[in-house]
Amino acid sequence: MGDNEQKAVQLMADAEKKLTSSKGFFGSLFGGSSKVEEAVECYQRAANMFKMAKKWSAAGNAFCEAANLHAKAGSRHDAATNYVDAANCYKKSDLNDAVGCLLKAIEIYTDMGRFTMAAKYHQSIAEIYESEAVDLERAVHHFEQAADYFRGEESNSSANKCLLKVAQYAAQLENYDKAIQIYEQVASSSLDNSLLKYSAKEYFFRAALCHLCIDVLNAQHAVERYQEQYPPFQDSREYKLIMTLIDHLEEQNLEGFTDAVKEYDSISRLDQWYTAVLLRIKKQINDNPDLR
């Protein structure tokens, strides 16, 4: 056992002693609350020593002990802060414990009306499920929660960032209607902002591809609506690709479809999301003998 870990273990023991003495008759008469405060300090110091020793689970446990004491004492902000500290340690050892601590922090922040903080930690949970635990349905749920809270606090940029994640994963999970609704919503809101309106082209493009995953005719009608909403869309390479793909789908032209995508990709590199969606659309040519 290293020096830092030994110090941390001793501090945990000291905290327990202080708590035990604070519960006795004399402790309750003479400075019981100060003993609890001292115990909290011991737990926090122990947590930092465990962190230095890279004992992440033990560090998380120590921060949780401090958080629980703060919560019992009514120090809600301090409790939430310590739960977040615990979560950051648990991320390196146990993702379920990390999520559990963040949920406790969120509960406190929502009770306090601190919805921006609650949104931030819903986003943190979503990112855990997105990249580390790889549970896209749970990631979508928490990105949606974050977006709702951000929007309620007029943090529309942060809300849209989370909503775009929801749309991305909704499409991956083949919930195309949901993805379309979000992409169209974010595109429309972008048109009202002079700095963001040029990004509407990408969101309309993504929405159109999702439409193509469902139905060619609806995709045509959707693209007509998009160019009415945002006339520059008609001059974009994205618009031209969509219209070309629609023609090739209607003609059952697999080679033409593939060539059109390759040509676009040679100039504007398609990421993994676009590639996956385009492959699903292309598969329709083989699976559906008559798309018209």
Side-chain angles (χ1 to χ4, degrees):
M1 187 184 291
D3 189 40
N4 287 325
E5 188 178 358
Q6 281 184 326
K7 289 178 182 176
V9 170
Q10 184 57 53
L11 284 165
M12 294 291 284
D14 291 347
E16 291 297 327
K17 285 178 187 175
K18 292 179 187 298
L19 287 176
T20 303
S21 65
S22 75
K23 291 173 185 173
F25 176 73
F26 291 106
S28 62
L29 287 177
F30 304 105
S33 62
S34 67
K35 290 289 185 184
V36 173
E37 289 170 11
E38 289 172 12
V40 168
E41 186 181 349
C42 284
Y43 281 133
Q44 290 173 331
R45 287 174 60 201
N48 288 323
M49 287 292 178
F50 279 130
K51 283 174 70 176
M52 290 170 69
K54 293 185 168 50
K55 300 294 180 182
W56 302 112
S57 183
N61 292 342
F63 276 127
C64 275
E65 293 290 351
N68 292 336
L69 289 178
H70 277 308
K72 287 176 184 176
S75 303
R76 294 186 295 172
H77 177 76
D78 290 328
T81 300
N82 278 269
Y83 280 130
V84 171
D85 289 337
N88 288 333
C89 294
Y90 285 137
K91 280 179 186 177
K92 297 175 174 64
S93 61
D94 190 314
L95 294 177
N96 287 329
D97 285 343
V99 169
C101 285
L102 289 174
L103 288 172
K104 288 178 181 177
I106 287 167
E107 186 178 350
I108 293 169
Y109 283 128
T110 52
D111 191 51
M112 293 172 67
R114 302 281 302 279
F115 295 108
T116 299
M117 295 298 286
K120 176 183 173 183
Y121 293 118
H122 269 300
Q123 187 175 351
S124 294
I125 293 173
E127 287 165 358
I128 288 173
Y129 284 127
E130 172 187 36
S131 58
E132 296 176 66
V134 191
D135 187 331
L136 294 187
E137 289 186 357
R138 288 187 180 182
V140 163
H141 170 73
H142 287 284
F143 276 127
E144 284 183 304
Q145 288 284 314
D148 284 345
Y149 286 142
F150 277 133
R151 182 138 291 160
E153 297 298 294
E154 298 297 324
S155 297
N156 292 326
S157 176
S158 295
N160 284 344
K161 182 180 175 183
C162 291
L163 283 174
L164 290 171
K165 285 285 189 178
V166 173
Q168 175 186 337
Y169 293 125
Q172 280 186 227
L173 295 165
E174 300 186 27
N175 189 348
Y176 299 116
D177 288 331
K178 184 172 193 169
I180 289 165
Q181 180 187 1
I182 292 170
Y183 283 133
E184 290 181 348
Q185 174 190 331
V186 175
S188 297
S189 67
S190 298
L191 294 177
D192 298 329
N193 186 313
S194 58
L195 295 175
L196 299 176
K197 66 180 181 180
Y198 300 106
S199 61
K201 175 184 69 173
E202 178 192 347
Y203 307 139
F204 283 137
F205 182 42
R206 286 175 178 262
L209 289 176
C210 290
H211 268 297
L212 278 179
C213 288
I214 304 171
D215 176 75
V216 173
L217 186 59
N218 279 343
Q220 285 179 306
H221 292 158
V223 172
E224 288 170 10
R225 289 199 313 275
Y226 302 157
Q227 70 181 74
E228 287 174 8
Q229 279 184 270
Y230 182 52
F233 183 55
Q234 188 170 359
D235 298 323
S236 69
R237 294 185 64 251
E238 288 76 12
Y239 172 85
K240 289 168 185 170
L241 176 61
I242 288 289
M243 298 310 294
T244 301
L245 295 183
I246 287 172
D247 288 340
H248 290 319
L249 283 167
E250 289 183 330
E251 295 165 4
Q252 311 274 305
N253 185 351
L254 186 62
E255 186 177 341
F257 185 102
T258 303
D259 289 342
V261 172
K262 281 182 180 177
E263 183 185 349
Y264 180 92
D265 185 54
S266 68
I267 299 170
S268 302
R269 198 73 183 161
L270 293 166
D271 65 20
Q272 190 176 0
W273 185 91
Y274 282 119
T275 303
V277 171
L278 285 162
L279 284 172
R280 290 181 193 171
I281 298 167
K282 180 180 175 181
K283 192 170 180 287
Q284 294 178 39
I285 296 175
N286 292 327
D287 290 352
N288 300 312
D290 187 3
L291 287 168
R292 279 171 277 187

